[in-house]
Amino acid sequence: MINTLKIRKNQGEQAIPDVTRAEIRPPFRGLPAVDGSKCGRCDACREVCPVGAISARPLAIDLGKCVFCGDCARECPEKSITFSTFHKIASTSRDYLVVDGAKNAEEYLSGAIEARQEIKRLFGASFKLRQVSAAGCNGCEWELNACGNPNFDMGRFGIEFVASPRHADGILITGPISENMAPALEDAYMCTPDPKVVILAGSCAISGGVFQGSAALNREFLDKHHIDLYIPGCPVHPLTVVNGLLKFMGR
């Protein structure tokens, strides 16, 4: 009971009136700060990273691979890697997810999502998505469910998950895409009316995450179709999802 009360006090009020201004408290890990000038080239961060998200020269972290475990920050003797609580890390560019010391939170946000007029015109007022769990662990799926609860309430912005791809404006994929789920994912894509968008949510969907390189995966879908938005996280945080979708919609 005492632990429950401590968590309640730490999290504060649950309802979020303005999701665009909401902040997340520690111990949440968001955008990392990388200072290559402090790096002693010991490679401790690279050796401890379970997903190979860190490159040493120059020192950088790939948010599309990162599972935000924080092991790299803990192991670095020079403290050249630290994690902020900045959560607006979605991007329309896969390459942009590679973060080095040149990007602070404001700089990252300013160039993260390319505003496209056709997206704003078509989906700016109403955006329906079919979510496809392509062998996910249910971590991201739980957080996506939370996007529609009274706390985050993305429905007030016209954003909803629908039961059929035929009623959707696009598909949102979670999970690393297993061999068994690859045909179903392709079917969902083909059943979604044009024009449509494809969104990847979570490290597993973007890079394979901890499952990358597995023979049980079939990620050919990502080579065949254009990806419109990447939402990093492990799992994705609802505020990262909602703010990423809002900016993508041009709002």
Side-chain angles (χ1 to χ4, degrees):
M1 182 64 180
I2 295 208
N3 286 337
T4 301
L5 291 173
K6 286 180 179 177
I7 292 172
R8 178 69 179 81
K9 181 180 179 181
N10 181 59
Q11 292 183 339
E13 295 295 330
Q14 296 302 293
I16 303 174
D18 186 350
V19 295
T20 63
R21 296 184 179 181
E23 297 180 354
I24 306 177
R25 301 180 183 183
F28 174 81
R29 298 186 191 93
L31 183 68
V34 179
D35 188 349
S37 64
K38 294 182 179 177
C39 181
R41 313 296 187 198
C42 67
D43 279 347
C45 57
R46 296 182 64 196
E47 293 171 2
V48 77
C49 181
V51 290
I54 301 174
S55 58
R57 296 172 183 79
L59 185 63
I61 299 180
D62 184 349
L63 299 185
K65 294 181 178 179
C66 183
V67 293
F68 299 86
C69 62
D71 282 350
C72 54
R74 284 188 288 272
E75 290 295 323
C76 179
E78 313 297 339
K79 303 301 179 188
S80 57
I81 299 176
T82 57
F83 282 85
S84 72
T85 58
F86 185 73
H87 58 276
K88 297 177 183 178
I89 53 178
S91 176
T92 49
S93 167
R94 178 67 182 89
D95 292 338
Y96 199 81
L97 297 180
V98 179
V99 174
D100 57 24
K103 294 175 185 173
N104 59 35
E106 291 76 16
E107 291 170 340
Y108 182 91
L109 183 61
S110 65
I113 295 180
E114 178 187 2
R116 293 160 54 186
Q117 285 303 315
E118 67 270 28
I119 296 294
K120 184 176 181 179
R121 178 174 57 83
L122 292 170
F123 309 125
S126 174
F127 196 27
K128 311 301 181 188
L129 294 168
R130 171 60 182 172
Q131 196 259 310
V132 180
S133 176
C137 70
N138 280 342
C140 287
E141 290 81 354
W142 271 73
E143 300 300 333
L144 292 173
N145 284 338
C147 292
N149 70 18
N151 305 72
F152 303 99
D153 191 17
M154 68 177 182
R156 66 184 130 161
F157 305 113
I159 311 170
E160 293 179 326
F161 292 118
V162 293
S164 169
R166 295 186 185 279
H167 304 156
D169 301 311
I171 59 175
L172 186 152
I173 304 167
T174 56
I177 311 180
S178 66
E179 184 73 47
N180 289 342
M181 278 302 298
L185 176 60
E186 186 69 27
D187 286 347
Y189 177 83
M190 297 302 293
C191 290
T192 306
D194 291 323
K196 54 194 168 190
V197 300
V198 179
I199 298 171
L200 302 181
S203 299
C204 288
I206 297 174
S207 66
V210 295
F211 304 104
Q212 59 185 291
S214 170
L217 302 186
N218 180 351
R219 294 173 60 79
E220 292 178 0
F221 177 91
L222 305 181
D223 297 326
K224 292 164 48 181
H225 304 294
H226 174 72
I227 308 302
D228 297 276
L229 182 66
Y230 301 86
I231 306 176
C234 185
V236 291
H237 193 285
L239 285 175
T240 305
V241 176
V242 177
N243 280 289
L245 293 177
L246 284 175
K247 195 163 185 182
F248 180 69
M249 295 163 63
R251 297 174 59 176

